[in-house]
C-alpha cells in the first residue's frame, strides 16, 4: 500500500497512491512517497493469492511495528482503580488517549498540546447511556487491478485506524499459477 504527500491542489502527489493524511502521517517532514508492506494474514493455499516472503522467528499473524494490519493496530488496555468503571469497554481508542484519561482520572488539568481525548466511557462519573455512535470513515483508491483501503472509524470527532487491505479486482488472463512465462503474449 503506497501513500504520498498532498500536492497543492489537495490530491495525492503521486498518482495511484492514498494521501498520507489517510493514516494521519501527513507532516511537513514526511517523505514524498511512503509504503507499508502487506501483512501475511492467514495462511492461504491458493497459489494465485498475493503473499509476503518472510523467514523470521515470529509466527504468522504476529504484529510488527509500523504495519497497518488489525494485529498491529490493536492493543489491550486495563485500567483499574476507584476512578474507573468495571467491565469491558469496546470503543475506538488510541495510545494518545491514555495520558489524557489518566490525568483526568487524577483530577489534573489537560495540557492544550495533548492530541488524545479522555476515554470518558471508562470513568465512573460517565453520564452517557453506553451507546456509542461510530461512523465508518474508510478511504480507498482503486486501479484496474487492485483496491487499497484504509479502514478508519470516526468517533467523538476523532479518527481511529482499524486496519488496511489491498484486494485484487481483476485476474488477468496471463496471471495463472500454471502459466509458462515464455508462452505469455503481450
Amino acid at each position: 500500500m503506497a501513500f504520498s504527500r498532498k500536492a497543492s491542489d489537495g490530491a495525492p502527489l503521486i498518482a495511484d497512491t492514498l494521501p498520507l493524511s489517510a493514516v494521519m502521517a501527513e507532516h511537513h517532514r514526511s517523505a514524498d512517497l511512503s509504503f507499508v508492506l502487506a501483512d501475511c494474514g492467514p495462511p492461504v493455499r491458493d497459489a494465485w493469492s498475493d503473499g509476503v516472503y518472510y523467514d523470521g522467528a515470529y509466527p504468522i499473524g504476529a504484529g510488527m511495528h509500523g504495519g497497518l494490519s488489525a494485529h498491529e493496530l490493536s492493543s489491550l488496555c486495563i485500567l483499574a482503580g476507584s476512578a474507573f468503571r468495571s467491565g469491558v469497554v469496546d470503543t475506538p481508542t488510541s495510545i494518545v488517549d491514555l495520558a489524557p484519561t489518566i490525568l483526568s482520572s487524577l483530577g489534573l488539568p489537560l495540557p492544550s498540546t495533548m492530541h488524545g481525548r479522555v476515554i470518558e466511557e471508562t470513568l465512573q462519573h460517565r453520564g452517557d447511556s453506553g451507546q456509542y455512535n461510530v461512523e465508518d470513515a474508510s478511504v480507498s483508491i482503486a486501479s484496474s487491478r487492485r483496491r487499497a483501503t484504509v479502514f478508519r472509524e470516526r468517533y467523538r470527532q476523532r479518527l481511529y485506524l482499524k486496519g488496511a487491505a489491498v484486494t485484487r479486482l481483476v485476474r488477468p488472463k496471463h496471471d495463472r499459477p500454471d502459466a509458462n512465462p515464455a508462452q505469455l503474449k503481450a
Side-chain angles (χ1 to χ4, degrees):
M1 187 169 287
F3 302 89
S4 65
R5 293 162 42 103
K6 288 183 182 175
S8 59
D9 65 356
L13 185 64
I14 300 171
D16 296 327
T17 64
L18 285 162
L20 278 164
S21 60
V23 289
M24 294 162 270
E26 183 90 22
H27 187 269
H28 72 274
R29 296 185 318 194
S30 300
D32 288 341
L33 177 66
S34 298
F35 64 92
V36 176
L37 297 175
D39 68 354
C40 294
V44 179
R45 303 280 184 243
D46 180 5
W48 177 69
S49 65
D50 293 337
V52 176
Y53 174 76
Y54 174 75
D55 65 355
Y58 294 104
I60 291 176
M64 301 292 287
H65 294 284
L68 290 174
S69 74
H71 296 289
E72 294 166 305
L73 295 173
S74 297
S75 63
L76 171 69
C77 177
I78 298 174
L79 300 169
S82 60
F84 301 103
R85 303 183 75 167
S86 63
V88 175
V89 175
D90 185 14
T91 60
T93 56
S94 174
I95 195 166
V96 298
D97 297 335
L98 291 178
T101 302
I102 292 167
L103 289 174
S104 177
S105 73
L106 295 171
L108 297 172
L110 302 181
S112 62
T113 56
M114 290 196 135
H115 293 281
R117 68 175 180 90
V118 175
I119 309 171
E120 294 282 342
E121 306 88 335
T122 65
L123 300 175
Q124 282 287 2
H125 69 272
R126 170 182 105 194
D128 66 18
S129 64
Q131 299 294 327
Y132 310 114
N133 184 19
V134 179
E135 174 189 341
D136 180 20
S138 299
V139 293
S140 64
I141 187 169
S143 68
S144 61
R145 297 184 65 180
R146 299 178 193 275
R147 175 180 305 280
T149 304
V150 175
F151 301 104
R152 307 181 312 177
E153 294 177 334
R154 184 174 307 282
Y155 179 68
R156 296 193 175 194
Q157 292 79 44
R158 297 186 185 273
L159 281 177
Y160 293 95
L161 293 176
K162 298 300 286 180
V166 176
T167 53
R168 187 173 276 181
L169 299 176
V170 177
R171 181 175 173 178
K173 284 182 171 181
H174 66 276
D175 192 7
R176 299 186 322 260
D178 61 336
N180 179 346
Q183 296 174 340
L184 297 177
K185 297 179 182 175

